[in-house]
Amino acid sequence: MENGKLIIWEPLKDNPFDRFKEPMNLVSIHYDGEDLELTFSAFNSGQEFKFTYNQDETNFYAIRHFRILKELTRDDIEILIGKLREEMEVTGLARLAYDPTFYKIENSSFKSWYKNIDLSLPLPEDSYLEHHLYIASDYFIDVLSEQQPTITKSS
């Protein structure tokens, strides 16, 4: 059960996805023990977007952990989305013109759980570990990483 705080994440400049009107379709997920690659397409388009977490010299781990849940909805995430909308309304921020598909989660229970089992993680003040949440049409994908993914778009 997620108990953190959602932050809308905008990894794409011209985001074609809307959770309900233009959902993301998970095309493939590939993990080779080092790099993680998530490929999504828009339902009404042949265009694909690859989100790649690469292991390199500065990032010994491309990701620390990931999970994929085949779900149409997750009550814990829906509660956090409701809280985010309420917070935006209370602070006077404009309503969103779309339903986001990308989030970061602060104070994530998934991240806390992982930190308890992986003793190789640096001290919290030295760690840049983030929880990225992708909401696709039938899946919720959580990624714990110390880096932002590289995004490529097919033409």
Side-chain angles (χ1 to χ4, degrees):
M1 181 81 145
E2 192 55 65
N3 60 7
K5 178 183 176 183
L6 289 182
I7 298 167
I8 296 171
W9 178 36
E10 294 290 353
L12 296 172
K13 258 187 175 180
D14 298 316
N15 185 357
F17 303 115
D18 179 296
R19 184 171 173 204
F20 299 108
K21 294 176 188 156
E22 295 291 332
M24 289 193 315
N25 180 38
L26 177 63
V27 174
S28 67
I29 186 166
H30 179 74
Y31 180 62
D32 64 6
E34 292 179 2
D35 301 335
L36 174 67
E37 184 178 274
L38 305 167
T39 305
F40 300 101
S41 68
F43 269 98
N44 298 325
S45 164
Q47 194 168 49
E48 291 186 348
F49 296 82
K50 269 187 193 155
F51 291 74
T52 306
Y53 294 86
N54 288 311
Q55 181 174 331
D56 59 27
E57 291 175 11
T58 58
N59 295 296
F60 183 73
Y61 295 104
I63 61 157
R64 287 295 187 149
H65 200 56
F66 74 95
R67 67 181 175 192
I68 179 169
L69 302 169
K70 185 169 175 70
E71 302 284 340
L72 296 176
T73 186
R74 274 182 51 195
D75 290 340
D76 58 334
I77 297 299
E78 301 306 327
I79 290 168
L80 292 179
I81 290 171
K83 286 180 182 178
L84 175 63
R85 288 183 184 188
E86 187 178 295
E87 182 181 300
M88 291 175 75
E89 197 173 296
V90 167
T91 58
L93 294 173
R95 271 193 164 195
L96 295 173
Y98 70 104
D99 288 294
T101 54
F102 305 107
Y103 292 96
K104 290 185 180 182
I105 305 178
E106 286 185 345
N107 302 319
S108 158
S109 58
F110 181 48
K111 182 175 162 183
S112 296
W113 165 81
Y114 182 74
K115 282 183 166 188
N116 283 328
I117 65 165
D118 184 354
L119 302 177
S120 72
L121 258 174
L123 295 174
E125 58 269 19
D126 297 331
S127 178
Y128 297 102
L129 191 63
E130 292 184 337
H131 181 172
H132 300 165
L133 173 64
Y134 298 82
I135 302 177
S137 57
D138 294 334
Y139 300 96
F140 284 76
I141 303 163
D142 298 277
V143 178
L144 295 178
S145 181
E146 297 174 34
Q147 62 177 283
Q148 302 304 304
T150 301
I151 303 166
T152 54
K153 181 168 61 167
S154 69
S155 47

